[in-house]
């Protein structure tokens, strides 16, 4: 997918002024946060599970080569094949070649974020094939020709009216002309249309929430059941998964599954959790004849060896998005690439380039809620800070901002100068503000004062208050 | 693409050399073979009470049956109450193929098509922790039955209801038949919240899940 992350500032402006988006975000925010809270509170073992999950992921990453090889052997033993891709281009090449090998025309797809990351739909279309998204959210944004705005709720930015209009535009030529007034009618229409797609598709592509080394299984978590229909009805099932998804055993998977749904949607478990192992068995009445797993690296093996290693623990639950004040204000599209929110602000600079994604790590208040709710306790603010450090060190930020920082650093290292300057500055500001005690306009601060008044400093600086308080208490004693 | 495999594995090994110590081949094998469980969620109720409570919370329904005849009656009653015509697709398990059906009902044991409205299957196990049922694919239990029809009825033997997912894995290993192509852990009907975060039932899979608890 083409990144517009470099346009973050403009994207943000647009998002903040988009009334429809703002009301959709407001609607989504409370739901996700409250449901997660309730689900976590209802499970006393949550904290223990979190610790165990961290151990499992750390152990799996430390032995990633062994577990990937074990996984590969088990997939082969069950009659499937594993393909390795270093880059998005290699990955899409493998998938399109596989599809061509069965003369595929139509391809159903379950929701796969790695598929978005490698630009799979575009590659399939360029190869003359027709990808059909089957997750309702993904289907909606495919019709709208938009990228997902949330990693688990891709169409969270759309209102029911927008969806109804979109369906009318695309489905009326197929004979679906009735207006869709409520969400149930929308869901029913999508169900009817996609039913036919499942049975006429040649290939089904899904992602994977986990890979299991012990058995060579891929795990798929959904609520709709679309992933299972996608995987089971066509002649070929292709799983696209990133390399860090592998865990040793089925028991390890059980630990992570208990955290995943609670953190994502506030459910104990989703309606469907499926473990796929190989193609259909000889006596089976249905299921694909071929089973392929495409393992995608795309910078992850590099992350394993650098400061961003902890990010590979991510299980893509989306909790950090749902709890982020920045995401809640601007939505997913403003981030400009596949992954939004705090996890996206860490991943985009690593996958699309630090220069391309350099605005994203800056857009954080470091409030720390993301790390707090992350079921794998990924130190997201720390990783964002690391990006800021790199942006400065590699001179990607503007020279003005580097000068300003250098100046500030110099002053901060000279406390007497610092106190003297703040005393003068504060006195000056408070005198200029006069009896209004606030500024309507302030040079270098228009981003603030365009929206609201800037309060003027009142009274002396903290240091001089302390000093006079100390002097007073000395006199009293 | 063998280059890709080699390059990725080499980068992983190089990265992990910086770490304290990777485990030996034997240690990794032993770690898998132990099948160590994580923290196990606890509850007060007995297994069956918990299972039924969670089944209800998942928006599935259930009734108890004791005999083959009662399975037949329950299925017919259910179909009539949902105005389903006299066609039933049925899994080919030993139990279900022994059931006598009245002549007015056409019963076929096969995979499902998009025309099928109602299906009868037999579950491999139940999970009390979450109120889930577990379906293992096989010639007697095609996967399409679990997802295509609108109404999904499943017989579950009460003695196959276990406490947690890990107990199912243990049971599968004891059977020694290896992994089926698909294990479906199913918890209630299909649903989506993709339209304004409002939960709607019957997204792509069954609109209703009805369990027949066989004593």
């Amino acid at each position: 997918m083409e990144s517009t992350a470099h346009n973050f500032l403009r994207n943000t402006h647009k998002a903040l002024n988009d009334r429809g988006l703002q009301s959709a975000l407001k609607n989504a925010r409370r739901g996700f946060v409250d449901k997660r809270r309730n689900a976590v509170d209802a499970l006393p073992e949550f904290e223990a599970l979190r610790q165990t999950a961290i151990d499992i992921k750390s152990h799996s990453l430390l032995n990633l080569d062994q577990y990937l090889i074990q996984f590969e052997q088990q997939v082969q033993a069950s009659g499937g094949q594993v393909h390795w891709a270093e880059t998005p281009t290699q990955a899409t090449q493998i998938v399109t070649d596989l599809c061509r090998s069965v003369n595929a025309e139509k391809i159903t797809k379950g929701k796969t974020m790695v598929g978005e990351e490698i630009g799979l739909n575009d590659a399939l279309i360029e190869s003359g094939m027709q990808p059909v998204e089957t997750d309702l959210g993904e289907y909606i944004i495919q019709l709208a020709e938009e990228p997902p705005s949330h990693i688990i709720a891709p169409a969270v930015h759309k209102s029911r009216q927008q969806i109804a209009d979109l369906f009318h535009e695309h489905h009326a030529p197929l004979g679906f002309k009735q207006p869709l007034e409520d969400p149930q009618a929308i869901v029913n229409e999508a169900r009817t249309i996609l039913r036919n797609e499942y049975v006429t598709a040649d290939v089904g592509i899904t992602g994977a929430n986990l890979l299991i080394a012990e058995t060579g299984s891929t795990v798929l978590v959904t609520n709709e059941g679309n992933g299972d229909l996608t995987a089971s009805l066509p002649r070929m099932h292709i799983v696209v998964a990133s390399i860090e998804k592998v865990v040793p055993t089925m028991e390890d998977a059980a630990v992570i599954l208990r955290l995943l749904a609670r953190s994502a949607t506030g459910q104990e478990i989703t309606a469907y959790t499926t473990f796929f192992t190989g193609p259909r068995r000889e006596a089976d009445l249905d299921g694909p004849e071929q089973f392929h797993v495409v393992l995608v690296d795309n910078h992850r093996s590099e992350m394993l060896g650098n400061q961003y290693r902890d990010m590979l623990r991510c299980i893509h639950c989306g909790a950090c998005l749902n709890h982020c004040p920045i995401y809640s204000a601007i939505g997913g599209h403003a981030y400009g690439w596949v992954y939004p929110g705090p996890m996206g602000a860490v991943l985009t600079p690593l996958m699309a380039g630090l220069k391309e994604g350099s605005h994203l790590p800056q857009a954080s208040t470091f409030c720390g809620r993301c790390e707090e709710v992350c079921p794998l306790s990924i130190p997201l603010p720390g990783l964002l800070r690391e990006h800021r450090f790199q942006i400065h060190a590699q001179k990607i930020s503007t020279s003005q901002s580097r000068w300003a920082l250098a100046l500030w650093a110099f002053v901060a290292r000279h406390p007497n100068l610092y106190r003297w300057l703040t005393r003068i500055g504060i006195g000056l500001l408070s005198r200029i503000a006069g009896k209004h005690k606030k500024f309507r306009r302030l040079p270098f601060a228009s981003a603030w004062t365009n929206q609201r008044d800037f309060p003027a400093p009142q009274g002396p600086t903290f240091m001089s208050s302390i000093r006079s308080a100390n002097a007073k208490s000395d006199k009293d004693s | 693409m063998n280059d890709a495999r080699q390059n990725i594995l080499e980068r992983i090994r190089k990265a992990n050399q910086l770490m304290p110590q990777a485990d030996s081949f034997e240690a990794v094998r032993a770690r898998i073979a132990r099948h160590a469980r994580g923290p196990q969620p606890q509850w007060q109720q007995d297994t069956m009470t918990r299972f039924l409570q969670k089944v209800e919370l998942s928006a599935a329904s259930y009734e108890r049956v004791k005999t083959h005849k009662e399975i037949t009656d329950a299925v017919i009653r259910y179909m009539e109450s949902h105005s389903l015509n006299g066609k039933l697709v049925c899994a080919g398990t030993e139990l279900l193929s022994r059931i006598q059906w009245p002549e007015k009902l056409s019963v076929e044991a096969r995979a499902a098509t998009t025309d099928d409205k109602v299906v009868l299957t037999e579950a491999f196990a139940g999970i009390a922790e979450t109120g889930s049922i577990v379906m293992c694919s096989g010639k007697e239990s095609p996967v399409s039955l679990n997802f295509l029809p609108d109404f999904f009825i499943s017989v579950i033997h009460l003695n196959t209801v276990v406490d947690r997912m890990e107990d199912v894995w243990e049971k599968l290993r004891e059977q020694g038949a290896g992994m089926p192509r698909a294990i479906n852990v199913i918890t209630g009907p299909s649903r989506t919240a993709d339209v304004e975060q409002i939960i709607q039932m019957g997204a792509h899979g069954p609109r209703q899940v009805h369990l027949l608890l066989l004593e």
Side-chain angles (χ1 to χ4, degrees):
Chain A
M1 185 189 144
E2 198 77 30
S3 167
T4 65
H6 58 275
N7 265 337
F8 182 72
L9 296 180
R10 205 186 312 157
N11 295 347
T12 305
H13 244 282
K14 218 173 98 193
L16 287 170
N17 291 310
D18 182 337
R19 277 212 191 143
L21 175 67
Q22 288 303 322
S23 101
L25 286 171
K26 201 171 154 201
N27 178 32
R29 204 176 313 156
R30 290 316 315 160
F32 278 127
V33 171
D34 293 347
K35 281 184 204 153
R36 176 198 166 273
R37 179 79 264 157
N38 293 339
V40 170
D41 287 349
L43 184 71
E45 293 85 359
F46 190 87
E47 217 31 65
L49 283 160
R50 180 188 248 174
Q51 284 310 316
T52 307
I54 295 171
D55 292 345
I56 291 170
K57 287 297 278 188
S58 302
H59 170 81
S60 308
L61 291 172
L62 188 60
N63 300 287
L64 188 56
D65 54 337
Q66 293 205 54
Y67 283 121
L68 286 172
I69 291 170
Q70 165 84 8
F71 172 77
E72 180 183 48
Q73 284 168 352
Q74 291 304 102
V75 172
Q76 287 164 350
S78 64
Q81 284 183 52
V82 173
H83 311 260
W84 302 66
E86 287 182 86
T87 61
T89 319
Q90 279 180 9
T92 53
Q93 189 65 48
I94 291 167
V95 176
T96 48
D97 285 349
L98 285 171
C99 293
R100 274 208 204 94
S101 73
V102 290
N103 299 317
E105 289 173 11
K106 188 186 288 176
I107 293 146
T108 42
K109 284 183 70 219
K111 189 168 88 64
T112 150
M113 290 310 293
V114 176
E116 296 284 345
E117 184 185 312
I118 62 176
L120 190 49
N121 283 359
D122 287 346
L124 290 170
I125 292 167
E126 271 167 36
S127 306
M129 293 175 260
Q130 183 201 353
V132 180
E133 294 289 351
T134 61
D135 170 85
L136 179 58
E138 285 281 340
Y139 178 68
I140 292 166
I141 59 164
Q142 189 183 25
L143 294 184
E145 297 182 18
E146 286 173 16
S149 74
H150 190 291
I151 60 171
I152 64 154
V156 70
H157 58 287
K158 289 261 182 253
S159 70
R160 73 178 77 175
Q161 190 55 50
Q162 287 172 317
I163 299 168
D165 293 345
L166 206 55
F167 274 27
H168 184 74
E169 182 192 334
H170 288 86
H171 296 163
L174 306 171
F176 295 85
K177 293 193 168 127
Q178 283 203 322
L180 300 169
E181 269 150 19
D182 56 58
Q184 190 65 62
I186 292 175
V187 172
N188 283 343
E189 190 166 295
R191 178 185 173 103
T192 311
I193 293 207
L194 287 170
R195 215 124 262 261
N196 190 43
E197 307 285 14
Y198 291 123
V199 290
T200 53
D202 306 293
V203 176
I205 301 178
T206 67
N209 295 88
L210 293 163
L211 307 173
I212 299 174
E214 171 193 7
T215 55
S217 310
T218 72
V219 185
L220 191 64
V221 170
T222 79
N223 272 311
E224 299 183 4
N226 66 305
D228 290 281
L229 289 164
T230 300
S232 295
L233 298 185
R235 283 174 288 159
M236 180 189 273
H237 177 199
I238 304 175
V239 178
V240 185
S242 48
I243 54 171
E244 86 287 7
K245 288 272 191 284
V246 69
V247 296
T249 64
M250 299 283 281
E251 279 73 11
D252 296 318
V255 171
I256 291 174
L257 288 170
R258 286 191 179 98
L259 297 169
L260 178 59
R262 286 182 172 88
S263 302
T265 54
Q267 291 172 288
E268 281 189 357
I269 189 168
T270 52
Y272 301 108
T273 303
T274 297
F275 299 74
F276 296 110
T277 315
R280 74 196 286 173
R281 308 297 188 251
E282 214 173 303
D284 283 0
L285 301 182
D286 55 17
E289 289 148 22
Q290 293 188 44
F291 177 72
H292 298 272
V293 182
V294 183
L295 294 174
V296 181
D297 182 344
N298 198 19
H299 299 290
R300 289 173 174 87
S301 57
E302 284 159 35
M303 287 164 64
L304 199 64
N306 62 30
Q307 318 86 304
Y308 305 98
R309 184 183 175 103
D310 288 342
M311 193 61 213
L312 295 172
R313 294 207 296 263
C314 180
I315 57 170
H316 288 214
C317 69
C320 62
L321 281 60
N322 298 334
H323 291 76
C324 176
I326 310 294
Y327 178 91
S328 302
I330 60 175
H333 285 163
Y335 289 82
W337 196 56
V338 177
Y339 300 111
M343 56 90 76
V346 174
L347 285 176
T348 305
L350 295 170
M351 292 180 173
L354 187 58
K355 188 159 190 288
E356 174 66 27
S358 68
H359 288 298
L360 273 44
Q362 312 284 6
S364 169
T365 62
F366 286 164
C367 73
R369 287 185 84 193
C370 49
E371 181 171 357
E372 211 178 291
V373 297
C374 175
L376 274 299
S377 298
I378 298 170
L380 290 154
L383 297 176
L384 292 173
R385 192 177 292 116
E386 181 61 34
H387 272 322
R388 288 192 189 179
F389 180 78
Q390 290 300 332
I391 288 162
H392 185 81
Q394 296 182 27
K395 303 196 168 154
I396 289 169
S397 49
T398 61
S399 57
Q400 292 106 299
S401 71
R402 284 200 305 281
W403 271 108
L405 269 177
L407 189 67
W408 183 83
F410 177 82
V411 176
R413 278 197 302 265
H414 296 83
N416 287 331
L417 177 65
Y418 188 95
R419 278 169 215 156
W420 183 74
L421 280 172
T422 46
R423 203 168 61 232
I424 298 208
I426 280 175
L428 206 63
L429 282 173
S430 121
R431 198 153 332 138
I432 299 170
K435 61 175 191 296
H436 299 296
K437 296 193 172 159
K438 60 192 175 198
F439 294 98
R440 284 264 168 88
R441 249 181 237 115
L442 204 61
F444 308 115
S446 59
W448 177 291
T449 53
N450 283 347
Q451 309 292 329
R452 49 218 180 288
D453 293 342
F454 188 89
Q458 289 167 34
T461 65
F462 176 74
M463 289 306 289
S464 49
S465 308
I466 289 276
R467 205 173 296 140
S468 53
N470 283 347
K472 188 163 177 282
S473 69
D474 283 350
K475 217 183 333 174
D476 290 351
S477 62
Chain B
M1 287 302 150
N2 276 331
D3 283 352
R5 182 181 190 275
Q6 210 45 46
N7 294 345
I8 293 170
L9 289 172
E10 260 167 34
R11 272 200 301 274
I12 291 171
R13 285 174 190 139
K14 212 173 127 213
N16 277 334
Q17 273 167 12
L18 308 169
M19 299 299 292
Q21 76 285 340
D23 296 87
S24 66
F25 178 76
E26 291 72 28
V28 163
R29 284 303 165 106
R31 162 85 169 66
I32 290 178
R34 269 202 304 280
H35 295 121
R37 295 183 179 196
Q40 302 285 283
Q42 305 293 321
W43 52 84
Q44 303 296 323
Q45 315 95 310
D46 62 86
T47 303
M48 200 47 60
T49 315
R50 165 87 178 194
F51 178 67
L52 295 179
Q53 235 170 43
K54 290 290 175 180
V55 165
E56 263 179 71
L57 283 173
S58 77
S61 54
Y62 66 85
E63 63 186 288
R64 290 172 186 270
V65 290
K66 287 204 179 77
T67 60
H68 289 185
K69 175 78 172 57
E70 284 184 15
I71 294 178
T72 316
D73 292 347
V75 170
I76 290 172
R77 230 179 11 253
Y78 183 85
M79 288 177 70
E80 278 169 359
S81 70
H82 291 89
S83 316
L84 295 161
N85 64 19
K87 202 177 96 184
L88 175 74
V89 181
C90 189
T93 62
E94 203 200 324
L95 167 82
L96 297 182
S97 47
R98 272 188 285 133
I99 289 178
Q100 297 288 314
W101 299 101
E103 270 183 24
K104 61 174 181 176
L105 189 69
S106 123
V107 181
E108 293 172 20
R110 54 170 170 80
T113 71
T114 46
D115 295 329
D116 297 323
K117 287 281 169 268
V118 53
V119 68
L120 178 66
T121 66
E122 184 182 340
F124 175 76
I127 302 174
E129 181 185 343
T130 48
S132 315
I133 60 165
V134 181
M135 306 297 300
C136 290
S137 70
K139 78 170 193 287
E140 294 165 348
S141 179
V143 173
S144 53
L145 298 186
N146 306 339
F147 295 96
L148 273 177
D150 286 6
F151 297 88
F152 176 84
I153 313 173
S154 195
V155 176
I156 176 161
H157 292 260
L158 288 184
N159 60 14
T160 64
V161 177
V162 295
D163 283 328
R164 301 175 187 85
M165 197 179 264
E166 288 92 331
D167 301 317
V168 180
W169 308 155
E170 208 173 291
K171 190 174 153 177
L172 265 169
R173 285 189 195 111
E174 276 166 15
Q175 290 201 341
M179 296 284 280
R181 181 190 82 84
I183 300 173
N184 301 123
V185 180
I186 301 177
T187 315
S190 156
R191 65 200 65 193
T192 181
D194 275 341
V195 182
E196 292 189 352
Q197 308 303 298
I198 304 162
I199 293 171
Q200 306 293 331
M201 304 311 255
H204 294 285
R207 296 171 188 279
Q208 289 196 22
V209 169
H210 188 63
L211 304 184
L212 304 178
L213 309 169
L214 184 61
E215 289 176 14

